[in-house]
Amino acid sequence: MDLLEVFRDSDDLVEYPAGSEIITEGLEGGHMYVVMSGDVSISLRGRVIARAKTGDIVGEMALINAEIRSATVTAETDCVLAVIDRASFESMLKHVPEFNFHVMNVLADRLKLAYEMIDD
């Protein structure tokens, strides 16, 4: 799914300089992001478990099962992110079946990485 195309005209774009903490593990969150440009790292308990690049999503778990952030997301480079609030997220889930599969694949990949971290 080409989320860059879907959100390229979004009015909700936010810029983060390299090194900025975008999402903080353990805090409340009511939105997710599409990385429109740049690279971010995703860390759990201080350990980087994944990286997201242009076109990827981050922060989706807080919209699915809880409002508490399960990981920290940090800008590795200067980034531009599109903000997706809960209403937009739910609308996409209802009206864009491809988005459902995209989100499920992202979740499955990240859970696999988290389980691997536990085994280490």
Side-chain angles (χ1 to χ4, degrees):
M1 172 165 211
D2 188 356
L3 293 176
L4 293 175
E5 182 65 28
V6 173
F7 292 98
R8 81 177 158 167
D9 295 326
S10 174
D11 292 331
D12 294 321
L13 298 177
V14 181
E15 295 181 16
Y16 290 93
S20 297
E21 196 168 278
I22 300 164
I23 293 173
T24 304
E25 182 178 353
L27 296 183
E28 289 185 24
H31 55 276
M32 62 176 272
Y33 298 95
V34 175
V35 180
M36 301 300 287
S37 67
D39 297 303
V40 302
S41 63
I42 302 164
S43 58
L44 187 61
R45 298 182 189 144
R47 182 175 171 194
V48 174
I49 61 165
R51 299 199 186 281
K53 60 186 181 332
T54 300
D56 291 339
I57 60 173
V58 294
E60 70 289 337
M61 287 184 70
L63 295 180
I64 292 172
N65 68 348
E67 293 186 359
I68 301 299
R69 298 295 190 180
S70 60
T72 296
V73 176
T74 305
E76 293 294 317
T77 63
D78 292 344
C79 297
V80 176
L81 283 72
V83 180
I84 302 172
D85 63 17
R86 184 174 303 280
S88 297
F89 178 73
E90 290 175 359
S91 178
M92 291 279 293
L93 290 175
K94 287 179 186 174
H95 302 292
V96 185
E98 187 178 357
F99 184 68
N100 291 316
F101 290 110
H102 183 76
V103 171
M104 284 190 291
N105 283 326
V106 168
L107 285 171
D109 289 344
R110 295 206 179 125
L111 284 172
K112 180 181 173 186
L113 291 170
Y115 287 135
E116 289 172 0
M117 186 178 108
I118 292 169
D119 288 340
D120 286 348

